[in-house]
């Protein structure tokens, strides 16, 4: 039997809707608290670039854009070390010494750029340098030495460039403070894969 007036579940439904709305507000608030600016990681890069440039005898300027772009704190912290590795790699492997840059008609001071931008539901983090670019011949030779390619390999371009993410891969034969120690760009690929992201390499020789 139902009462003549009203619905026996009307009040319960109202209280349930209120509870759901409160939970939604708490969730949105928590998500907001979990978002942090890229600056949280990028702030340490000027000192990193100075240190690596000094160690390697380079003259390098750092430019950052989009440091106010926000990412989930777990994502940013998850990719922080990979970004530091990319910046170190850009200075050490990408940027040439001033003498080589001047000989190539470039400014003596190299530039490393770290940029963040929103792209729909994703955030793109880009580390770029105006250095020498990837030398396909040197990269292919290093891959052959390490048994990743046969001696007669002709692989080039984007497919060849993916080899820089192989564990421990380096084009350096000598060990320095910043390279040749078996810690390669595979840490970048591993970190990005773990976060459900993707890595793209774009390079122009010179």
């Amino acid at each position: 039997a139902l009462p003549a007036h009203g619905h026996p579940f009307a009040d319960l439904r109202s209280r349930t809707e209120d509870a759901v709305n409160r939970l939604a507000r708490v969730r949105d608030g928590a998500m907001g608290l979990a978002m942090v600016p890229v600056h949280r990681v990028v702030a340490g890069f000027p000192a990193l670039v100075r240190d690596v440039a000094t160690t390697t005898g380079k003259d390098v300027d750092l430019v950052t854009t989009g440091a106010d772009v926000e990412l989930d704190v777990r994502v940013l912290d998850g990719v922080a070390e990979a970004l530091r590795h990319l910046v170190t790699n850009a200075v050490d492997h990408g940027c040439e010494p001033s003498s080589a840059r001047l000989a190539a008609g470039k400014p003596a001071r190299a530039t490393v750029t770290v940029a963040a931008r929103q792209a729909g539901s994703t955030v793109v983090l880009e580390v770029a340098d105006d250095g020498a670019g990837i030398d396909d011949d040197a990269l292919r030779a290093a891959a052959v030495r390490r048994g990743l390619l046969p001696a007669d390999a002709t692989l080039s371009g984007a497919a060849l460039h993916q080899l820089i993410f192989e564990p421990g891969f380096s084009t350096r034969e000598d060990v320095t403070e910043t390279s040749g120690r078996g810690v390669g760009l595979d840490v970048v690929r591993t970190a990005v894969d773990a976060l459900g992201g993707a890595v793209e390499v774009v390079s122009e020789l010179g």
Side-chain angles (χ1 to χ4, degrees):
L2 294 174
H5 302 288
H7 193 286
F9 299 115
D11 188 48
L12 176 61
R13 184 171 64 240
S14 175
R15 291 200 304 273
T16 301
E17 287 174 351
D18 286 344
V20 169
N21 288 336
R22 283 198 299 274
L23 282 171
R25 287 195 294 273
V26 170
R27 181 203 62 201
D28 291 344
M31 287 179 68
L33 289 174
M35 300 298 285
V36 293
V38 172
H39 177 73
R40 173 188 172 106
V41 169
V42 172
F45 286 176
L48 174 63
V49 168
R50 280 196 304 272
D51 289 348
V52 179
T54 299
T55 300
T56 57
K58 312 280 183 69
D59 185 7
V60 184
D61 190 25
L62 174 71
V63 175
T64 60
T65 64
D68 56 342
V69 170
E70 293 189 331
L71 265 175
D72 184 295
V73 63
R74 293 162 301 180
V75 175
L76 185 58
D77 287 352
V79 80
E81 188 57 36
L83 281 173
R84 282 191 283 270
H85 201 77
L86 283 174
V87 170
T88 298
N89 195 78
V91 176
D92 186 21
H93 288 271
C95 300
E96 320 95 320
S98 295
S99 56
R101 291 178 61 85
L102 289 170
K106 298 164 109 174
R109 173 171 287 185
T111 300
V112 169
T113 303
V114 178
R117 66 180 185 277
Q118 197 81 36
S121 61
T122 64
V123 170
V124 176
L125 300 173
E126 182 179 87
V127 177
D129 64 73
D130 66 347
I134 297 176
D135 183 331
D136 281 10
D137 291 339
L139 178 56
R140 194 182 304 105
V144 169
R145 281 198 307 273
R146 285 164 170 74
L148 295 172
L149 289 176
D152 59 351
T154 57
L155 198 65
S156 63
L160 177 65
H161 297 167
Q162 289 304 306
L163 293 179
I164 66 176
F165 296 109
E166 286 295 311
F169 185 83
S170 178
T171 54
R172 291 278 169 82
E173 285 296 300
D174 56 322
V175 176
T176 70
E177 286 186 42
T178 52
S179 66
R181 293 169 296 132
V183 181
L185 291 179
D186 57 304
V187 299
V188 176
R189 169 61 55 78
T190 299
V192 173
D193 283 351
L195 295 167
V199 182
E200 182 182 5
V201 181
V202 178
S203 179
E204 181 181 343
L205 188 60

